[in-house]
PDB file of all heavy atoms in Angstrom:
ATOM      1  N   LYS B  19     112.961  84.320  79.684  1.00 97.00           N
ATOM      2  CA  LYS B  19     113.207  84.646  78.281  1.00 97.00           C
ATOM      3  C   LYS B  19     113.635  83.401  77.528  1.00 97.00           C
ATOM      4  O   LYS B  19     114.503  82.659  77.974  1.00 97.00           O
ATOM      5  CB  LYS B  19     114.316  85.710  78.174  1.00 97.00           C
ATOM      6  CG  LYS B  19     113.773  87.130  78.232  1.00 97.00           C
ATOM      7  CD  LYS B  19     114.880  88.144  78.175  1.00 97.00           C
ATOM      8  CE  LYS B  19     115.209  88.524  76.746  1.00 97.00           C
ATOM      9  NZ  LYS B  19     116.192  89.644  76.706  1.00 97.00           N
ATOM     10  N   GLU B  21     115.405  83.256  74.900  1.00 97.00           N
ATOM     11  CA  GLU B  21     116.825  83.341  74.509  1.00 97.00           C
ATOM     12  C   GLU B  21     117.718  82.900  75.671  1.00 97.00           C
ATOM     13  O   GLU B  21     118.711  82.195  75.472  1.00 97.00           O
ATOM     14  CB  GLU B  21     117.210  84.788  74.134  1.00 97.00           C
ATOM     15  CG  GLU B  21     116.455  85.376  72.948  1.00 97.00           C
ATOM     16  CD  GLU B  21     115.028  85.802  73.287  1.00 97.00           C
ATOM     17  OE1 GLU B  21     114.696  85.966  74.479  1.00 97.00           O
ATOM     18  OE2 GLU B  21     114.222  85.959  72.354  1.00 97.00           O
ATOM     19  N   SER B  22     117.360  83.314  76.896  1.00 97.00           N
ATOM     20  CA  SER B  22     118.164  82.924  78.062  1.00 97.00           C
ATOM     21  C   SER B  22     118.107  81.421  78.251  1.00 97.00           C
ATOM     22  O   SER B  22     119.113  80.770  78.556  1.00 97.00           O
ATOM     23  CB  SER B  22     117.637  83.588  79.340  1.00 97.00           C
ATOM     24  OG  SER B  22     117.424  84.946  79.148  1.00 97.00           O
ATOM     25  N   LYS B  25     120.168  79.679  75.709  1.00 98.00           N
ATOM     26  CA  LYS B  25     121.587  79.874  76.060  1.00 98.00           C
ATOM     27  C   LYS B  25     121.969  78.918  77.184  1.00 98.00           C
ATOM     28  O   LYS B  25     123.007  78.252  77.120  1.00 98.00           O
ATOM     29  CB  LYS B  25     121.799  81.330  76.484  1.00 98.00           C
ATOM     30  CG  LYS B  25     123.224  81.740  76.792  1.00 98.00           C
ATOM     31  CD  LYS B  25     124.074  81.735  75.538  1.00 98.00           C
ATOM     32  CE  LYS B  25     125.444  82.356  75.741  1.00 98.00           C
ATOM     33  NZ  LYS B  25     125.390  83.811  75.876  1.00 98.00           N
ATOM     34  N   TRP B  29     124.722  75.431  77.338  1.00 98.00           N
ATOM     35  CA  TRP B  29     125.812  75.169  78.294  1.00 98.00           C
ATOM     36  C   TRP B  29     125.735  73.739  78.833  1.00 98.00           C
ATOM     37  O   TRP B  29     126.393  73.399  79.811  1.00 98.00           O
ATOM     38  CB  TRP B  29     125.760  76.179  79.450  1.00 98.00           C
ATOM     39  CG  TRP B  29     126.079  77.589  79.028  1.00 98.00           C
ATOM     40  CD1 TRP B  29     126.626  77.995  77.847  1.00 98.00           C
ATOM     41  CD2 TRP B  29     125.864  78.776  79.800  1.00 98.00           C
ATOM     42  NE1 TRP B  29     126.749  79.363  77.830  1.00 98.00           N
ATOM     43  CE2 TRP B  29     126.308  79.875  79.010  1.00 98.00           C
ATOM     44  CE3 TRP B  29     125.361  79.038  81.071  1.00 98.00           C
ATOM     45  CZ2 TRP B  29     126.248  81.194  79.456  1.00 98.00           C
ATOM     46  CZ3 TRP B  29     125.296  80.359  81.515  1.00 98.00           C
ATOM     47  CH2 TRP B  29     125.741  81.425  80.712  1.00 98.00           C
ATOM     48  N   ALA B 209     116.748  84.048  88.442  1.00 93.00           N
ATOM     49  CA  ALA B 209     117.644  85.189  88.263  1.00 93.00           C
ATOM     50  C   ALA B 209     117.655  86.156  89.447  1.00 93.00           C
ATOM     51  O   ALA B 209     118.245  87.230  89.360  1.00 93.00           O
ATOM     52  CB  ALA B 209     117.280  85.931  86.982  1.00 93.00           C
ATOM     53  N   VAL B 212     120.991  87.936  90.720  1.00 94.00           N
ATOM     54  CA  VAL B 212     121.820  88.845  89.906  1.00 94.00           C
ATOM     55  C   VAL B 212     121.836  90.237  90.540  1.00 94.00           C
ATOM     56  O   VAL B 212     121.106  90.504  91.493  1.00 94.00           O
ATOM     57  CB  VAL B 212     121.331  88.939  88.429  1.00 94.00           C
ATOM     58  CG1 VAL B 212     121.297  87.559  87.797  1.00 94.00           C
ATOM     59  CG2 VAL B 212     119.974  89.635  88.329  1.00 94.00           C
ATOM     60  N   GLU B 213     122.661  91.101  89.966  1.00 90.00           N
ATOM     61  CA  GLU B 213     122.831  92.419  90.568  1.00 90.00           C
ATOM     62  C   GLU B 213     121.544  93.242  90.520  1.00 90.00           C
ATOM     63  O   GLU B 213     121.154  93.864  91.497  1.00 90.00           O
ATOM     64  CB  GLU B 213     123.950  93.161  89.842  1.00 90.00           C
ATOM     65  CG  GLU B 213     124.666  94.115  90.744  1.00 90.00           C
ATOM     66  CD  GLU B 213     125.922  94.643  90.085  1.00 90.00           C
ATOM     67  OE1 GLU B 213     125.913  94.889  88.862  1.00 90.00           O
ATOM     68  OE2 GLU B 213     126.909  94.798  90.791  1.00 90.00           O
ATOM     69  N   GLN B 214     120.879  93.249  89.364  1.00 89.00           N
ATOM     70  CA  GLN B 214     119.651  94.058  89.230  1.00 89.00           C
ATOM     71  C   GLN B 214     118.664  93.278  88.369  1.00 89.00           C
ATOM     72  O   GLN B 214     118.718  93.326  87.147  1.00 89.00           O
ATOM     73  CB  GLN B 214     120.004  95.403  88.579  1.00 89.00           C
ATOM     74  CG  GLN B 214     118.856  96.374  88.431  1.00 89.00           C
ATOM     75  CD  GLN B 214     118.457  97.031  89.729  1.00 89.00           C
ATOM     76  OE1 GLN B 214     117.709  96.458  90.499  1.00 89.00           O
ATOM     77  NE2 GLN B 214     118.962  98.225  89.990  1.00 89.00           N
ATOM     78  N   ARG B 215     117.766  92.529  89.005  1.00 89.00           N
ATOM     79  CA  ARG B 215     116.830  91.726  88.222  1.00 89.00           C
ATOM     80  C   ARG B 215     115.708  92.604  87.695  1.00 89.00           C
ATOM     81  O   ARG B 215     114.994  93.236  88.469  1.00 89.00           O
ATOM     82  CB  ARG B 215     116.244  90.596  89.073  1.00 89.00           C
ATOM     83  CG  ARG B 215     115.623  89.511  88.230  1.00 89.00           C
ATOM     84  CD  ARG B 215     114.636  88.658  89.001  1.00 89.00           C
ATOM     85  NE  ARG B 215     113.362  89.366  89.133  1.00 89.00           N
ATOM     86  CZ  ARG B 215     112.236  88.789  89.526  1.00 89.00           C
ATOM     87  NH1 ARG B 215     112.222  87.526  89.840  1.00 89.00           N
ATOM     88  NH2 ARG B 215     111.126  89.491  89.623  1.00 89.00           N
ATOM     89  N   GLN B 216     115.554  92.646  86.380  1.00 91.00           N
ATOM     90  CA  GLN B 216     114.489  93.462  85.766  1.00 91.00           C
ATOM     91  C   GLN B 216     113.203  92.653  85.615  1.00 91.00           C
ATOM     92  O   GLN B 216     112.116  93.197  85.646  1.00 91.00           O
ATOM     93  CB  GLN B 216     114.920  93.947  84.377  1.00 91.00           C
ATOM     94  CG  GLN B 216     116.258  94.682  84.351  1.00 91.00           C
ATOM     95  CD  GLN B 216     116.153  96.096  84.880  1.00 91.00           C
ATOM     96  OE1 GLN B 216     115.052  96.616  85.039  1.00 91.00           O
ATOM     97  NE2 GLN B 216     117.282  96.710  85.183  1.00 91.00           N
ATOM     98  N   TYR B 217     113.341  91.358  85.380  1.00 94.00           N
ATOM     99  CA  TYR B 217     112.189  90.482  85.159  1.00 94.00           C
ATOM    100  C   TYR B 217     112.644  89.047  85.469  1.00 94.00           C
ATOM    101  O   TYR B 217     113.845  88.758  85.459  1.00 94.00           O
ATOM    102  CB  TYR B 217     111.700  90.572  83.693  1.00 94.00           C
ATOM    103  CG  TYR B 217     112.834  90.573  82.687  1.00 94.00           C
ATOM    104  CD1 TYR B 217     113.412  89.382  82.258  1.00 94.00           C
ATOM    105  CD2 TYR B 217     113.388  91.777  82.217  1.00 94.00           C
ATOM    106  CE1 TYR B 217     114.474  89.380  81.373  1.00 94.00           C
ATOM    107  CE2 TYR B 217     114.456  91.777  81.337  1.00 94.00           C
ATOM    108  CZ  TYR B 217     114.994  90.578  80.911  1.00 94.00           C
ATOM    109  OH  TYR B 217     116.064  90.573  80.051  1.00 94.00           O
ATOM    110  N   ASP B 219     113.833  85.306  85.234  1.00 96.00           N
ATOM    111  CA  ASP B 219     114.600  84.642  84.169  1.00 96.00           C
ATOM    112  C   ASP B 219     115.380  83.444  84.735  1.00 96.00           C
ATOM    113  O   ASP B 219     115.244  83.093  85.906  1.00 96.00           O
ATOM    114  CB  ASP B 219     115.536  85.654  83.496  1.00 96.00           C
ATOM    115  CG  ASP B 219     115.805  85.299  82.033  1.00 96.00           C
ATOM    116  OD1 ASP B 219     115.265  84.287  81.554  1.00 96.00           O
ATOM    117  OD2 ASP B 219     116.567  86.032  81.378  1.00 96.00           O
ATOM    118  N   PRO B 234     124.465  83.844  85.099  1.00 97.00           N
ATOM    119  CA  PRO B 234     123.154  83.984  84.445  1.00 97.00           C
ATOM    120  C   PRO B 234     123.279  83.802  82.932  1.00 97.00           C
ATOM    121  O   PRO B 234     124.154  84.417  82.316  1.00 97.00           O
ATOM    122  CB  PRO B 234     122.741  85.421  84.790  1.00 97.00           C
ATOM    123  CG  PRO B 234     124.020  86.144  85.051  1.00 97.00           C
ATOM    124  CD  PRO B 234     125.027  85.134  85.523  1.00 97.00           C
ATOM    125  N   PRO B 235     122.421  82.981  82.325  1.00 97.00           N
ATOM    126  CA  PRO B 235     122.459  82.835  80.864  1.00 97.00           C
ATOM    127  C   PRO B 235     122.099  84.138  80.135  1.00 97.00           C
ATOM    128  O   PRO B 235     122.550  84.358  79.023  1.00 97.00           O
ATOM    129  CB  PRO B 235     121.420  81.745  80.580  1.00 97.00           C
ATOM    130  CG  PRO B 235     121.267  81.000  81.866  1.00 97.00           C
ATOM    131  CD  PRO B 235     121.474  82.017  82.939  1.00 97.00           C
ATOM    132  N   ASN B 236     121.306  84.985  80.749  1.00 96.00           N
ATOM    133  CA  ASN B 236     120.910  86.255  80.143  1.00 96.00           C
ATOM    134  C   ASN B 236     122.097  87.225  80.186  1.00 96.00           C
ATOM    135  O   ASN B 236     122.582  87.586  81.261  1.00 96.00           O
ATOM    136  CB  ASN B 236     119.721  86.825  80.932  1.00 96.00           C
ATOM    137  CG  ASN B 236     119.183  88.123  80.340  1.00 96.00           C
ATOM    138  OD1 ASN B 236     119.884  88.835  79.633  1.00 96.00           O
ATOM    139  ND2 ASN B 236     117.934  88.412  80.654  1.00 96.00           N
ATOM    140  N   SER B 237     122.558  87.670  78.995  1.00 95.00           N
ATOM    141  CA  SER B 237     123.775  88.498  78.953  1.00 95.00           C
ATOM    142  C   SER B 237     123.544  89.910  79.508  1.00 95.00           C
ATOM    143  O   SER B 237     124.496  90.640  79.765  1.00 95.00           O
ATOM    144  CB  SER B 237     124.314  88.567  77.521  1.00 95.00           C
ATOM    145  OG  SER B 237     123.297  89.056  76.678  1.00 95.00           O
ATOM    146  N   ASP B 238     122.270  90.294  79.713  1.00 95.00           N
ATOM    147  CA  ASP B 238     121.996  91.594  80.343  1.00 95.00           C
ATOM    148  C   ASP B 238     122.201  91.552  81.866  1.00 95.00           C
ATOM    149  O   ASP B 238     122.222  92.585  82.523  1.00 95.00           O
ATOM    150  CB  ASP B 238     120.548  92.033  80.084  1.00 95.00           C
ATOM    151  CG  ASP B 238     120.306  92.350  78.620  1.00 95.00           C
ATOM    152  OD1 ASP B 238     121.302  92.614  77.912  1.00 95.00           O
ATOM    153  OD2 ASP B 238     119.143  92.305  78.195  1.00 95.00           O
ATOM    154  N   TYR B 239     122.271  90.358  82.398  1.00 97.00           N
ATOM    155  CA  TYR B 239     122.396  90.203  83.850  1.00 97.00           C
ATOM    156  C   TYR B 239     123.819  89.831  84.226  1.00 97.00           C
ATOM    157  O   TYR B 239     124.535  89.201  83.448  1.00 97.00           O
ATOM    158  CB  TYR B 239     121.483  89.069  84.344  1.00 97.00           C
ATOM    159  CG  TYR B 239     120.000  89.398  84.374  1.00 97.00           C
ATOM    160  CD1 TYR B 239     119.067  88.366  84.439  1.00 97.00           C
ATOM    161  CD2 TYR B 239     119.538  90.704  84.361  1.00 97.00           C
ATOM    162  CE1 TYR B 239     117.700  88.627  84.486  1.00 97.00           C
ATOM    163  CE2 TYR B 239     118.185  90.979  84.407  1.00 97.00           C
ATOM    164  CZ  TYR B 239     117.260  89.942  84.473  1.00 97.00           C
ATOM    165  OH  TYR B 239     115.926  90.203  84.528  1.00 97.00           O
ATOM    166  N   ARG B 240     124.198  90.175  85.459  1.00 96.00           N
ATOM    167  CA  ARG B 240     125.467  89.651  85.954  1.00 96.00           C
ATOM    168  C   ARG B 240     125.362  89.287  87.432  1.00 96.00           C
ATOM    169  O   ARG B 240     124.647  89.930  88.210  1.00 96.00           O
ATOM    170  CB  ARG B 240     126.626  90.609  85.697  1.00 96.00           C
ATOM    171  CG  ARG B 240     126.458  91.975  86.295  1.00 96.00           C
ATOM    172  CD  ARG B 240     127.509  92.913  85.737  1.00 96.00           C
ATOM    173  NE  ARG B 240     127.774  93.975  86.699  1.00 96.00           N
ATOM    174  CZ  ARG B 240     128.963  94.274  87.182  1.00 96.00           C
ATOM    175  NH1 ARG B 240     130.034  93.619  86.805  1.00 96.00           N
ATOM    176  NH2 ARG B 240     129.105  95.244  88.060  1.00 96.00           N
ATOM    177  N   CYS B 241     126.084  88.234  87.788  1.00 96.00           N
ATOM    178  CA  CYS B 241     126.202  87.837  89.188  1.00 96.00           C
ATOM    179  C   CYS B 241     127.525  88.392  89.705  1.00 96.00           C
ATOM    180  O   CYS B 241     128.552  88.250  89.044  1.00 96.00           O
ATOM    181  CB  CYS B 241     126.245  86.311  89.317  1.00 96.00           C
ATOM    182  SG  CYS B 241     124.635  85.535  89.156  1.00 96.00           S
ATOM    183  N   PRO B 279     133.416  88.976  85.031  1.00 95.00           N
ATOM    184  CA  PRO B 279     132.554  90.072  85.523  1.00 95.00           C
ATOM    185  C   PRO B 279     131.091  89.655  85.692  1.00 95.00           C
ATOM    186  O   PRO B 279     130.308  90.380  86.285  1.00 95.00           O
ATOM    187  CB  PRO B 279     132.705  91.144  84.438  1.00 95.00           C
ATOM    188  CG  PRO B 279     134.028  90.858  83.804  1.00 95.00           C
ATOM    189  CD  PRO B 279     134.173  89.372  83.834  1.00 95.00           C
ATOM    190  N   ARG B 280     130.710  88.466  85.194  1.00 96.00           N
ATOM    191  CA  ARG B 280     129.313  88.044  85.260  1.00 96.00           C
ATOM    192  C   ARG B 280     129.097  86.756  86.051  1.00 96.00           C
ATOM    193  O   ARG B 280     127.982  86.270  86.140  1.00 96.00           O
ATOM    194  CB  ARG B 280     128.759  87.821  83.848  1.00 96.00           C
ATOM    195  CG  ARG B 280     128.854  89.002  82.907  1.00 96.00           C
ATOM    196  CD  ARG B 280     128.198  88.692  81.572  1.00 96.00           C
ATOM    197  NE  ARG B 280     126.834  88.259  81.759  1.00 96.00           N
ATOM    198  CZ  ARG B 280     126.419  87.008  81.599  1.00 96.00           C
ATOM    199  NH1 ARG B 280     127.262  86.066  81.254  1.00 96.00           N
ATOM    200  NH2 ARG B 280     125.159  86.713  81.793  1.00 96.00           N
TER     201      ARG B 280
END
Side-chain angles (χ1 to χ4, degrees):
Chain B
K19 271 178 89 173
E21 298 76 18
S22 312
K25 184 68 170 287
W29 292 347
V212 303
E213 210 169 38
Q214 183 75 277
R215 198 200 78 167
Q216 306 284 347
Y217 43 83
D219 209 0
N236 183 337
S237 56
D238 293 339
Y239 286 162
R240 58 192 207 125
C241 282
R280 303 184 55 252

